[in-house]
Amino acid sequence: MTILILGAGQLARMMSLAGAPLNLNVVAYDVGSKKIVHPLTGEVYSTTLEDAIAHADAITAEFEHIPDDVLTLCCNSNKFYPGKAAIKTGGDRQIEKALLDKTKVACAPYQLITEKAHLELAVEKLGKPLVIKTCQAGYDGKGQWRLKSDEQIDTIWAEMADFIAAGTEHAPHTIIAEKMIPFDREVSIIGARDKHGNVAIYPLTENEHTNGVLTLSVAGLDNSRVEQQAIDAFTKLANALDYVGVLAVEFFDVQGTLLVNEIAPRVHNSGHWTQQGCHCSQFENHLRAVAGLPLGNSELKHVTAMINVLGQANIPTEVLATTDVTSHWYGKSVKPGRKMGHINVSADNLAQLGARLAELSKLLPEADYPGLLTMSQSLNN
């Protein structure tokens, strides 16, 4: 069976690795070069996109920002999962907010902005400070502003106006202003849904971000107070989209109440820990779902932390001497802040995990791996 993935980055790479034991042949469409490639070896095939679609048994995506003509072509084949509506929702915050409103899944109060009067209305209605985000083309903290005082309105609006003006009639640009919510922590739920509506949901994960980029995720904490809220939100959203594949939902935890921050219609960075922490990883379960195979076991096997490697060409080899540490590399050229790979650390219990993170913190500098030492200390308390 052949699976075509739109996008040829690290997520396609890890799906290819997960698919091999299932006898799934995974090929990828590089949106930038418009070539069909092998997502692991980088081999470029002479096949056209049209031919790849014809020969694929199923088609999926590793990211949301897919050109509309490519997305439409794939959807017309009736082989594309999770479907056009899901991809559009994940790639446009305006559509995402509409889905949250429709399904009555809670999020921060917001105001849609297409002109300066809307920004002024947001300040009046929501108060300050505001988190302002582009509805399209924003990821990993890009395309965002923080408005803390009225004096910033003119300056921020000038930058926002440039983004809005860059939109077109067929692809308009819009912006969302959200009330800044003081939250206790960030968490995410990841689950897979198959073509028959069956689901396999992974344990709630606690996430640490630095400058808008995920740096650390931990699975296995006691989240019993809020986990059902996350499962309910996932279920409502997945059912509304008639979703097939892995869906990630990120939340703010506000004193025990979860508010959705973002939806990602794909395998997700905060689920990379499932490679070592679960019986069946998010990558394998995504392929199982789109290929029509039974979903795998998503229960926790080991408490696990995932550490992102950002902008580093390598890690100290001594890291691999720590028990139950596994490294995953993406085969990318080095750029500052770029996601180069990740490290998964597993343990039998949280105290043991804390000890292993403390051991790693002596090898991985805080400047490059923020929050590692703090998390290790919290797990040992």
Side-chain angles (χ1 to χ4, degrees):
M1 183 177 287
T2 296
I3 311 294
L4 171 63
I5 299 175
L6 303 181
Q10 68 261 26
L11 301 182
R13 176 188 179 96
M14 286 182 276
M15 280 190 270
S16 177
L17 288 167
L22 294 173
N23 199 28
L24 297 177
N25 175 42
V26 175
V27 297
Y29 175 68
D30 186 326
V31 173
S33 68
K34 300 183 179 181
K35 300 289 186 181
I36 304 298
V37 303
H38 191 288
L40 188 58
T41 67
E43 179 185 356
V44 178
Y45 301 114
S46 58
T47 312
T48 65
L49 175 59
E50 290 78 5
D51 285 341
I53 291 170
H55 287 96
D57 296 285
I59 307 168
T60 190
E62 69 151 12
F63 74 125
E64 300 92 321
H65 304 294
I66 300 165
D68 191 68
D69 58 336
V70 173
L71 191 55
T72 299
L73 192 63
C74 291
C75 289
N76 288 345
S77 71
N78 295 317
K79 302 175 184 178
F80 181 75
Y81 304 100
K84 189 172 185 176
I87 296 297
K88 289 293 187 182
T89 298
D92 190 319
R93 288 190 173 96
Q94 182 178 354
I95 301 173
E96 178 183 270
K97 295 294 187 186
L99 175 65
L100 293 171
D101 290 345
K102 176 184 175 182
T103 54
K104 295 182 170 53
V105 174
C107 63
Y110 69 92
Q111 171 68 47
L112 181 67
I113 297 174
T114 57
E115 57 186 63
K116 188 176 183 182
H118 295 155
L119 176 59
E120 294 166 343
L121 178 61
V123 172
E124 177 185 342
K125 186 171 75 170
L126 304 178
K128 298 182 292 288
L130 292 175
V131 180
I132 303 170
K133 305 174 183 178
T134 59
C135 290
Q136 304 81 23
Y139 64 96
D140 284 346
K142 297 177 175 63
Q144 297 190 16
W145 299 266
R146 300 288 187 272
L147 192 152
K148 299 178 181 178
S149 68
D150 290 346
E151 289 72 26
Q152 294 176 279
I153 292 176
D154 288 343
T155 301
I156 289 178
W157 169 249
E159 297 176 12
M160 292 165 61
D162 288 341
F163 174 78
I164 292 171
T168 66
E169 180 181 353
H170 298 294
H173 280 181
T174 51
I175 290 174
I176 287 279
E178 297 178 348
K179 182 178 180 64
M180 186 178 287
I181 304 292
F183 57 87
D184 301 316
R185 59 181 186 149
E186 297 175 85
V187 296
S188 59
I189 195 100
I190 291 174
R193 184 179 186 272
D194 70 13
K195 298 173 184 179
H196 308 291
N198 301 308
V199 297
I201 300 178
Y202 293 94
L204 196 68
T205 305
E206 182 170 323
N207 304 311
E208 298 283 343
H209 289 80
T210 304
N211 299 322
V213 180
L214 181 66
T215 49
L216 179 67
S217 293
V218 178
L221 301 171
D222 180 6
N223 291 304
S224 56
R225 185 172 67 147
V226 297
E227 191 142 22
Q228 192 57 50
Q229 292 181 54
I231 292 171
D232 290 346
F234 171 89
T235 302
K236 288 177 180 178
L237 295 168
N239 288 343
L241 292 167
D242 194 18
Y243 200 89
V244 176
V246 162
L247 174 69
V249 187
E250 297 181 272
F251 303 89
F252 296 131
D253 182 352
V254 184
Q255 298 181 345
T257 297
L258 297 187
L259 300 177
V260 171
N261 177 33
E262 288 185 352
I263 299 168
R266 53 177 170 79
V267 290
H268 191 260
N269 197 174
S270 69
H272 291 359
W273 66 269
T274 62
Q275 290 168 304
Q276 272 66 53
C278 286
H279 298 275
C280 183
S281 75
Q282 64 163 344
F283 303 102
E284 181 176 336
N285 255 336
H286 184 76
L287 291 178
R288 284 176 176 238
V290 302
L293 301 174
L295 295 178
N297 187 345
S298 59
E299 293 177 2
L300 188 75
K301 183 169 65 174
H302 303 292
V303 294
T304 302
M306 186 282 302
I307 306 163
N308 261 344
V309 180
L310 303 173
Q312 305 297 306
N314 50 59
I315 57 175
T317 55
E318 294 83 359
V319 165
L320 298 177
T322 299
T323 303
D324 289 335
V325 164
T326 308
S327 66
H328 299 264
W329 290 94
Y330 305 157
K332 293 179 173 180
S333 57
V334 180
K335 293 181 182 178
R338 192 178 201 183
K339 292 178 181 176
M340 302 298 299
H342 66 272
I343 303 165
N344 283 340
V345 191
S346 296
D348 295 330
N349 54 63
L350 291 173
Q352 188 180 72
L353 180 61
R356 288 174 182 171
L357 293 180
E359 185 178 338
L360 291 176
S361 71
K362 298 174 184 176
L363 302 169
L364 302 173
E366 172 70 18
D368 298 321
Y369 301 90
L372 186 57
L373 179 59
T374 302
M375 180 59 74
S376 73
Q377 293 168 341
S378 71
L379 293 177
N380 279 315
N381 291 335

